[in-house]
Amino acid sequence: MKKEYLYAGAAVICWGSVAPITKLLLGGMANQTVLFLMTAVAAVSLFLYNAARGNMKKLFSFRPADYLRMTAMGVLGFFVYNAAYFFGLTRLSAQDACVINYLWPLMTVIFSCILLKERFTVFKLAASVLSLAGVFIVATKGDLSGIAGIDFTGVFSCLTAAVSYGLFSALNKKYDYDQEAAMFFYFTATAVVSGIWCLLSGASLHISAFQAGGILWMGIVVSAFGYLIWCLAVNRGDTARISNLAYITPFLAMILSCLILKEPFDFHTLLGLLLIIAGIVVQMRDGKQPLRK
């Protein structure tokens, strides 16, 4: 098997663990504490990676406007995204939160039409309808009479996460910064903002050995390592084929949520996920390459 597929497969496994591992951490830690420690570890890891790669000169070669823009993009794509997603995880099952969050590819398409002037076609309209139908099924569990029992706060939080990451992805595509350097600044900006949030809220930074292990996994393996090996895979292999592997992530998250969190398997969540994936596949048939995360 080619190295790029091993890299992509490893990244997918890393991302599939996000929902169940984060939900475990949030059971005993404040959202802001998890976010701060995770992104601080990721930022340090990416700094060391760039130093080892000889990228230090590159890190300080941007214009002031670029640093400001990357800071804003980092806050949008990683702070707002994770803060909203983490809150959603405290309200919904890991399976439901992950599936609703997986609207981000559709959001990227919509924002690309707005910001990059890409054409909004019948394929994209059909994709939007399919994906939103999927979210509706996940939220209602297929029971229209149970709408009053929907946790709208949790659903809205996960939708906010999807929208923020979709907007970030479109902006990241528009400005096309060097990803090794940009990822460091994105996570650094998030660590600083979430650190301020921790101070203002008085959240405790005392964690157990188990929680430290989870933070290291989320910061080094999922965030720093996961994104980097994904970039390597996409850069070295066929973009379309490699990107398709990302669609395994929510299925893997559902399996791990059942195994790790002992959540019961939910047929309606699976059905909603299949509709969302169908929407992604439909928009891919519009002649555009799949979107990178």
Side-chain angles (χ1 to χ4, degrees):
M1 183 181 292
K2 294 183 179 180
K3 283 186 177 180
E4 54 264 30
Y5 289 101
L6 292 176
Y7 291 155
V12 166
I13 291 173
C14 291
W15 292 338
S17 69
V18 170
I21 297 298
T22 302
K23 194 168 181 67
L24 274 179
L25 290 173
L26 292 174
M29 300 172 65
N31 296 15
Q32 53 267 47
T33 302
V34 175
L35 182 54
F36 167 63
L37 294 177
M38 179 189 82
T39 53
V41 169
V44 172
S45 300
L46 288 167
F47 178 81
L48 294 176
Y49 171 83
N50 277 285
R53 293 272 293 173
N55 292 340
M56 297 306 295
K57 184 176 180 180
K58 183 192 301 182
L59 290 179
F60 300 101
S61 64
F62 297 99
R63 298 172 301 173
D66 292 320
Y67 289 116
L68 288 174
R69 185 179 293 119
M70 284 190 288
T71 297
M73 289 170 62
V75 170
L76 172 68
F78 292 91
F79 176 76
V80 175
Y81 166 73
N82 282 301
Y85 187 31
F86 288 2
F87 184 72
L89 279 166
T90 65
R91 308 277 304 198
L92 306 174
S93 71
Q95 297 177 60
D96 289 357
C98 180
V99 169
I100 296 172
N101 173 63
Y102 216 68
L103 277 176
W104 71 262
L106 174 64
M107 295 297 110
T108 304
V109 171
I110 292 174
F111 283 117
S112 293
C113 292
I114 297 173
L115 300 177
L116 306 179
K117 308 303 180 184
E118 294 182 359
R119 201 160 50 95
F120 192 79
T121 65
V122 173
F123 284 104
K124 292 174 182 176
L125 176 61
S128 301
V129 173
L130 282 170
S131 295
L132 291 175
V135 171
F136 185 76
I137 288 176
V138 172
T140 63
K141 300 302 178 187
D143 183 8
L144 296 180
S145 64
I147 291 180
I150 296 175
D151 189 331
F152 287 103
T153 302
V155 172
F156 180 75
S157 296
C158 292
L159 286 174
T160 299
V163 170
S164 65
Y165 198 87
L167 178 55
F168 163 79
S169 296
L171 291 171
N172 197 39
K173 180 179 179 181
K174 177 179 180 179
Y175 294 108
D176 196 26
Y177 291 117
D178 177 89
Q179 291 302 290
E180 291 182 336
M183 283 294 171
F184 164 70
F185 288 110
Y186 295 156
F187 278 106
T188 299
T190 303
V192 171
V193 174
S194 56
I196 294 173
W197 186 21
C198 278
L199 288 174
L200 294 178
S201 65
S204 174
L205 295 180
H206 295 292
I207 59 176
S208 67
F210 171 78
Q211 292 168 334
I215 291 295
L216 290 175
W217 174 267
M218 292 293 296
I220 299 174
V221 179
V222 173
S223 300
F225 179 70
Y227 281 102
L228 284 174
I229 60 175
W230 180 258
C231 289
L232 287 173
V234 171
N235 290 341
R236 295 184 180 185
D238 182 277
T239 302
R241 291 182 178 179
I242 294 294
S243 295
N244 285 338
L245 294 176
Y247 305 140
I248 300 173
T249 301
F251 292 100
L252 182 58
M254 289 184 67
I255 295 172
L256 291 177
S257 295
C258 292
L259 294 175
I260 297 175
L261 302 175
K262 307 303 180 183
E263 290 183 353
F265 177 78
D266 194 307
F267 170 75
H268 292 100
T269 299
L270 176 61
L271 179 59
L273 173 59
L274 291 175
L275 283 174
I276 292 173
I277 298 298
I280 295 170
V281 172
V282 167
Q283 68 89 9
M284 284 170 53
R285 290 181 60 84
D286 198 29
K288 306 296 182 185
Q289 286 191 337
L291 302 166
R292 303 183 189 183
K293 183 167 183 181

